[in-house]
Amino acid sequence: MSEYKIKNKKAQIGETITWVVATIIIIAILILSIYVASLLSNTKKTLTYASEGRKGDILMEKSLFAYFLANETDKEVIYSELKKNDFPINLDTKLNEIKGVLE
Amino acid sequence: MKKNRRGAEKIISVYWFAILFIVAGAVVAMVAIFYGKPYDVRELETQILANSVANCLSETGYLREDIIGNSDFQNNFLKECSLNFNTEKEFDNMQYFLRVEILQGSNKVFEVSEGNLNLIASCGVEAGIEEERLAKCSEKEFYSLDSSKNVYLIKILSIVRKTEKNVRV
């Protein structure tokens, strides 16, 4: 009977150690996950006009409408000024696209 | 021995509940930490504001006819362009500023400013020091024609502050 009790106690100690180690691992993983979440939250969360994968720019398109309506000398002025701007999409691509629609 | 085993099972089930709550609490904490920081949409807002003004002033390449020399349009600019600068009650001061200039060659033929003029101090500074708490500025320009095909350059400066809503201070 006493030998059985000792064996049972050894089994209980083994089982307890397993659970304690498992608990430590679970808590460690959770702490690591919380830390990673806090690191990720510190990355720059900024939405910009260019970062949205835009296929059009209203102001550029308005200028291009004016470009097509203007006389030849004004066209050159508008185009050279538009070239200086930094648009989220390529000016010449858009220009050719509109030309293609108009022709 | 059976009694002892039942006791151990009870302890383990209590332990399981404790672990369950710890894991659930950690998941809630992770979500709160990650989504607690707001997205900064002020830059986008300045662009949207500039686009709204552009849509108000020009259509299909032509400038609206009732703008130049019309003091009513100038005085009621926000109403004419269906803009509303009201913000949440938590803000004491106006959080927007808008300036529109229309130039014919080098002559300024129209100018209007609306909103909080003090915000203009943030422009230029923010680009240099990347300070999140300053207001965001956007200076845009586009071309338009009148019915006589005269070319006008329209400059729009839009500024949005609303720092408390967009940045964790």
Side-chain angles (χ1 to χ4, degrees), chain B residues 38-52:
Chain B
Y39 277 90
D40 192 351
V41 295
R42 291 173 297 168
E43 212 173 312
L44 204 60
E45 212 173 342
T46 57
Q47 301 279 352
I48 292 167
L49 188 58
N51 287 351
S52 299

Side-chain angles (χ1 to χ4, degrees), chain B residues 53-59 62-77 79-82 102 109-112 144-147 152:
Chain B
V53 173
N55 280 333
C56 170
L57 299 177
S58 167
E59 273 179 19
Y62 285 110
L63 199 65
R64 254 175 75 167
E65 286 182 357
D66 58 340
I67 297 175
I68 295 165
N70 184 353
S71 57
D72 279 347
F73 182 84
Q74 207 163 356
N75 296 335
N76 302 306
F77 181 75
K79 199 180 167 190
E80 290 282 346
C81 287
S82 307
I102 302 178
V109 292
F110 177 88
E111 184 178 10
V112 68
S144 196
L145 305 176
D146 64 8
S147 51
Y152 293 92

Side-chain angles (χ1 to χ4, degrees), chain A residues 18-57:
Chain A
T18 308
W19 283 111
V20 168
V21 171
T23 309
I24 291 166
I25 290 169
I26 289 167
I27 289 170
I29 289 170
L30 291 176
I31 289 168
L32 187 75
S33 305
I34 289 171
Y35 179 66
V36 170
S38 71
L39 282 183
L40 287 174
S41 76
N42 285 330
T43 54
K44 211 175 183 188
K45 282 178 160 182
T46 306
L47 292 179
T48 60
Y49 197 63
S51 68
E52 293 304 291
R54 302 207 73 82
K55 289 180 180 169
D57 182 276

